[in-house]
Amino acid sequence: MDRRYIELERRPELNRPVLIAGFTGWNDAAEAASLAVDTLREEWGAEQFGAFVGEEFFDYQSVRPQIKLIEGVTRTVEWPENALYATSGGVQALGGRDAVLISGPEPNFRWRAFCQGVVDLGRELDASLVLTMGALLADVPHSRPVSVAANAQDPSLVENLKLSASRYEGPTGVTGVLHRYVAEAGLPAVSFWASVPHYLPSVPSAPAALGLLQNLQNLVGGRLDTSHLERTSEDYQRQVAAAVSQDSDLVSYVQMLEERYDAQTDGGTRDLPSGDELASELEQFLREKGDEEQ
């Protein structure tokens, strides 16, 4: 493992850990992936044992350091980093295996070096599985179950989980690159992608985070305590439904998405349009509505 890129405060004692990664930024629509990883870190009591060297991977003008006050007096600087967390003593939900979590902003630089660092870390820690989580904006309504697509080396794994295989083609972020790097390195790798409504891009989506964790639970065969996210998801649905109901055009648009979702659910794999296509479709719909009202 290249120590230029990773700093370890200690080397944790781990039992065949599952390495789980999720990043804020482009791969994290509605903060679903980062919320899912943060939920695991808190539930499992994972503690930080290292980090990727921020100087090697971040443009501090794009991802700026933060000034924090300690007890209202002392100022300190918190630098962007991709932190490494680990459990100890095994996690019941993982069948007694441990977990290593990687979280933080999507790196600006040296993606190949970053991904190779994750591969090297996985090998050094004897990882039994590398799971990446992401979320993307899609033409899905908030009022239907969250769609989660999967990528895996073994297509039968996706089929057994009753997930749709991702058929996305187009620009990708570090999450997509990392999954391919890990898979091509021969480590067991799975990637989960939650779809969130494109008309709610900046509203943190507890339902999407919950969907990711439920699929993690199905994958590892354990039981996760997601009760907090379930309550938060119920609040999310109520608040979004109330907000949408205030806009008649949006109500009609969501109804159209619901009809399309219901028709496609029985048809298997769904092709996800690009963000530009979604924006164009919404603009056309609103223009047509405006013409009808004149």
Side-chain angles (χ1 to χ4, degrees), residues 211-226:
L212 289 169
L213 294 186
Q214 287 173 335
N215 280 281
L216 168 62
Q217 181 173 275
N218 292 339
L219 175 65
V220 299
R223 178 174 173 77
L224 301 172
D225 182 4
T226 57

Side-chain angles (χ1 to χ4, degrees), residues 13-20 39-47 85-101 216-217 220-225:
E13 295 295 328
L14 301 169
N15 176 32
R16 298 277 293 162
V18 176
L19 195 157
I20 302 172
T39 299
L40 294 177
R41 177 172 56 83
E42 293 175 5
E43 180 186 342
W44 291 342
E47 297 182 354
Y85 302 89
T87 61
S88 60
V91 177
Q92 185 176 0
L94 298 176
R97 290 177 292 178
D98 283 298
V100 172
L101 308 176
L216 168 62
Q217 181 173 275
V220 299
R223 178 174 173 77
L224 301 172
D225 182 4

Side-chain angles (χ1 to χ4, degrees), residues 94-151:
L94 298 176
R97 290 177 292 178
D98 283 298
V100 172
L101 308 176
I102 304 176
S103 66
E106 179 182 58
N108 301 114
F109 306 126
R110 299 183 179 88
W111 282 12
R112 290 188 177 98
F114 180 86
C115 293
Q116 186 60 51
V118 175
V119 168
D120 293 343
L121 180 69
R123 286 173 172 162
E124 182 167 320
L125 298 179
D126 194 24
S128 58
L129 173 69
V130 178
L131 172 67
T132 54
M133 293 185 180
L136 71 163
L137 299 177
D139 61 332
V140 294
H142 67 276
S143 51
R144 293 295 184 267
V146 174
S147 296
V148 177
N151 287 314

Side-chain angles (χ1 to χ4, degrees), residues 119 130 152-153 177-190:
V119 168
V130 178
Q153 297 155 296
V177 173
L178 176 59
H179 172 70
R180 291 312 316 157
Y181 241 87
V182 171
E184 290 171 2
L187 294 176
V190 177

Side-chain angles (χ1 to χ4, degrees), residues 14 18 110 122 134 145 153 155 172 179 191-192 197-198 205 209 236 238 243 280 290-291:
L14 301 169
V18 176
R110 299 183 179 88
Q153 297 155 296
T172 189
H179 172 70
S191 186
F192 288 149
H198 67 88
S205 178
Y236 171 96
R238 284 194 296 268
S280 176
D291 292 341

